Amino acid sequence: MTGQASAVAVLAFSLLSHAAFAAAKLDCGPSTNKSDALPRTVAIGTNPAGTGAHAIASALAAVASKATPIAAKVQPYNGPNAWMPLLESGEIEMGIINILDSHMAATGTGNYKSAYPSVRVISGGVFPFTAGLIVRDKSDIKQISDLKGKRVAWDYGGHAINQTWQNAVMEAGGLKPSDVVQVRVSNLNDGVRNLPEGKVDAAFTAVGIGVVEEANAMEPVRFLSMPHTDAANSILGRYGASVVKSGSAAGIKGDTYVIGYPLQLVSSTKVSDKTIATLLKAWWDNLAEIQTIHPLLKRWTKETQAITNFTVPYHSGAVRFYKEVGVWTAKHEARTKEICGQK
């Protein structure tokens, strides 16, 4: 990530206002699991194989299984809307999710009809995680406004947050949902694969993930560049995102501005402090290895683990660990009180 991209991302991320999150009340209690015994296994919910969430979870699971007594496994679903009920019930222990989805799920707002109050952040995660709209490279669609009247992947089923991000990107480019032909897909992967097959003219996806490379191998694709303006950042800032300049990856043709936001690792209050602290220590101590597994994980740094603009509380086991390694500060305490309505 360039210094410019980092500065823009942090600036827009800081636009997450208190008012945007104060209306929906959060459960801020500690872990309800007081056991000192480690589980034999843990499961991490992710999006399907080929996505950034799946790549991140696979790396974390591999290192956890090697460095701790816990066997970690990845369980793919269409998206967080599909696995969040399982996290709440204790059927899975963790999941990869973005910052806006986290708050919606915890409060039962936006794309979530029910609240899942036990969700807690373990790690601030990959920041910024980048995404945008892609088209076939040979297409005459050169900017987002050119999508008017075109067929665009829509809905995304069990990963509904993709539609929220896509709507924001379109709005930043001057389009309303009614300006395009909506082609419903079940998940992000299906939307991307429909592009080289000629079933859609554009789809929303992350930068630098396997499914984009797969589509690009079938027929070259290109990310559309977003307007790099204060107005675009203002629109994205409502969701905890920003316009960032993307680095080299499949579909990136020259200077391309896309959406950037934090992709987090979450757990629940049903998982013990001991389990969370054990896993975090393994990932902290083996960070260099983690960062070699997938390019996205170069943005999984010690500096991004305890972010200060979180939208749901950190797990009490994570707070304990981050205090021990010296990265939990007064700013984190103040942010916790702010989102939890504490004085």
Side-chain angles (χ1 to χ4, degrees), residues 101 129 254 267 293:
D101 244 335
F129 184 72
S267 185
I293 298 175

Side-chain angles (χ1 to χ4, degrees), residues 146-166:
D146 293 338
L147 289 172
K148 189 168 185 177
K150 301 295 187 181
R151 301 165 302 163
V152 179
W154 209 261
D155 187 50
Y156 299 99
H159 200 183
I161 195 66
N162 282 313
Q163 189 61 59
T164 303
W165 291 128
Q166 179 169 292

Side-chain angles (χ1 to χ4, degrees), residues 132-183:
L133 284 162
I134 58 170
V135 298
R136 287 183 292 278
D137 190 32
K138 68 181 181 182
S139 167
D140 59 0
I141 301 169
K142 304 302 181 184
Q143 55 190 2
I144 292 171
S145 59
D146 293 338
L147 289 172
K148 189 168 185 177
K150 301 295 187 181
R151 301 165 302 163
V152 179
W154 209 261
D155 187 50
Y156 299 99
H159 200 183
I161 195 66
N162 282 313
Q163 189 61 59
T164 303
W165 291 128
Q166 179 169 292
N167 287 353
V169 170
M170 287 173 56
E171 182 182 353
L175 291 179
K176 304 184 297 296
S178 59
D179 288 331
V180 301
V181 178
Q182 301 171 9
V183 180

